[in-house]
Amino acid sequence: MTCNIEYVYPSDSGEYWCEGGEGQRSNTVNIIVTAGSVILESPVLPVMEGEAVTLHCRHKTTSSIRTADFYKDGVFIKTDSTGNMTIHNVSKCDEGLYKCNISGAGESPESRLAVRGQCTTEEGGDVIMESPVLPVTEGAAVTLRCRKNEISFDLKADFYKDGLLIRSNSTGEMTINSVSKSDEGLYKCSISGAGESAERWLSVKASRNEMNFSRHYLFHFLTVVKVLLALQLLVIGLLYWKKQRDTADAADNLSLCLNTNHRRKPQTEKDKDEPQPQDSLYSTI
């Protein structure tokens, strides 16, 4: 059994399900219809906890890769130059409303990501990793703190980035003294005998000085390009003017040669018989 909606409008957005004759009910699917230019592609059906989930942000009319900003429940998560955001080990805590934004194109509608499982973060898990929620600026110091729920004293913890062990610390803290873009990634921590925390994304943005330097460099680069283009146009103009002048000089030389040859035309017998002005003068004298 199928249900076809041939012409969809934003008002058709919502949750859909089907029911059998004996009252059985299917999973709910969330369908978003947008008239905008930006679309967030996400799983329609609920995903199982522990799976890898990729959200893809794209422009409706082009297939080119665009840099996109991703948000969950209205809070900025990360920026990705490929337009993709992957949650490698999804949990119930990742459930929520997601959207993306492409600079100059607009923002996508919110799409709900549903996860089957239980939340194991700060609200219900034994191990908690405290990390910055908002993007941190390059060059700043960032501290990740791993602790056990309802226990305030420090415990030895292991810290992981993108699934790889990077450091162990007896105080349960890890500090990145001068964070850079290469430090961006998924972090988690583990306390022996208590378990491990949920993965948290650490987002790093460029410093204002670097942005200003990039803009300054771009301004000078464009200035140099403009000067080179102007010089190129000037050279082309001079070459064209020289070509036109050479053509005119060649035409003048050709005309002069033709006139000279015409004056030097050999005399015929008739011309020889005719009295020349000088002979007439002598006859008169």
Side-chain angles (χ1 to χ4, degrees):
M1 299 295 295
T2 59
C3 174
N4 295 324
I5 306 175
E6 294 185 0
Y7 301 100
V8 294
Y9 296 93
S11 59
D12 294 312
S13 300
E15 294 185 342
Y16 288 80
W17 69 91
C18 63
E19 296 181 357
E22 299 180 359
Q24 303 97 328
R25 179 169 171 166
S26 71
N27 293 324
T28 300
V29 296
N30 186 35
I31 298 177
I32 305 296
V33 182
T34 176
S37 300
V38 180
I39 299 172
L40 176 66
E41 296 177 349
S42 62
V44 177
L45 297 174
V47 296
M48 294 299 297
E49 195 174 26
E51 292 181 352
V53 177
T54 298
L55 307 180
H56 178 55
C57 189
R58 66 178 181 87
H59 196 276
K60 186 166 62 174
T61 58
T62 62
S63 58
S64 59
I65 297 174
R66 300 283 194 92
T67 299
D69 300 325
F70 290 88
Y71 299 82
K72 179 194 174 190
D73 298 328
V75 178
F76 174 79
I77 305 174
K78 64 173 294 188
T79 299
D80 195 281
S81 60
T82 65
N84 294 326
M85 186 187 80
T86 300
I87 307 172
H88 295 281
N89 186 19
V90 70
S91 69
K92 188 71 175 178
C93 304
D94 295 311
E95 195 172 61
L97 290 171
Y98 289 81
K99 66 180 179 180
C100 65
N101 180 76
I102 296 177
S103 179
E107 189 175 82
S108 73
E110 287 185 317
S111 179
R112 175 169 291 279
L113 176 64
V115 182
R116 290 182 177 178
Q118 295 182 350
C119 184
T120 57
T121 58
E122 296 171 320
E123 291 80 4
D126 290 331
V127 179
I128 300 167
M129 187 183 72
E130 298 174 350
S131 64
V133 177
L134 297 176
V136 295
T137 304
E138 276 189 310
V142 176
T143 298
L144 307 179
R145 183 167 181 261
C146 191
R147 64 181 178 85
K148 192 174 180 181
N149 194 17
E150 299 179 355
I151 296 179
S152 59
F153 56 84
D154 299 329
L155 296 173
K156 181 181 178 180
D158 300 325
F159 290 87
Y160 300 81
K161 178 193 175 191
D162 299 327
L164 299 176
L165 177 66
I166 53 174
R167 192 179 305 177
S168 296
N169 196 296
S170 59
T171 62
E173 291 186 352
M174 184 188 82
T175 300
I176 306 173
N177 293 315
S178 181
V179 70
S180 66
K181 198 69 176 177
S182 61
D183 295 314
E184 198 172 57
L186 284 168
Y187 288 81
K188 66 179 179 180
C189 66
S190 174
I191 296 177
S192 179
E196 66 179 24
S197 70
E199 288 184 312
R200 300 287 295 273
W201 180 267
L202 177 63
S203 181
V204 181
K205 64 180 180 180
S207 64
R208 186 175 297 274
N209 290 335
E210 280 194 20
M211 294 175 65
N212 291 336
F213 175 77
S214 298
R215 291 176 182 175
H216 182 72
Y217 176 79
L218 179 61
F219 173 77
H220 283 287
F221 175 75
L222 292 176
T223 302
V224 171
V225 170
K226 291 178 181 179
V227 171
L228 291 177
L229 288 175
L231 290 174
Q232 187 177 13
L233 291 174
L234 179 61
V235 170
I236 292 174
L238 290 174
L239 291 175
Y240 179 78
W241 175 79
K242 186 177 183 301
K243 182 179 179 181
Q244 294 294 326
R245 184 176 178 181
D246 292 344
T247 302
D249 291 343
D252 292 341
N253 292 334
L254 179 61
S255 177
L256 180 62
C257 289
L258 291 175
N259 292 334
T260 303
N261 291 335
H262 179 73
R263 286 194 296 267
R264 292 179 178 178
K265 183 178 178 181
Q267 292 182 342
T268 62
E269 293 297 332
K270 182 179 179 181
D271 295 334
K272 291 179 180 180
D273 294 338
E274 293 179 356
Q276 298 298 322
Q278 187 175 1
D279 295 340
S280 302
L281 177 62
Y282 287 137
S283 299
T284 305
I285 294 173

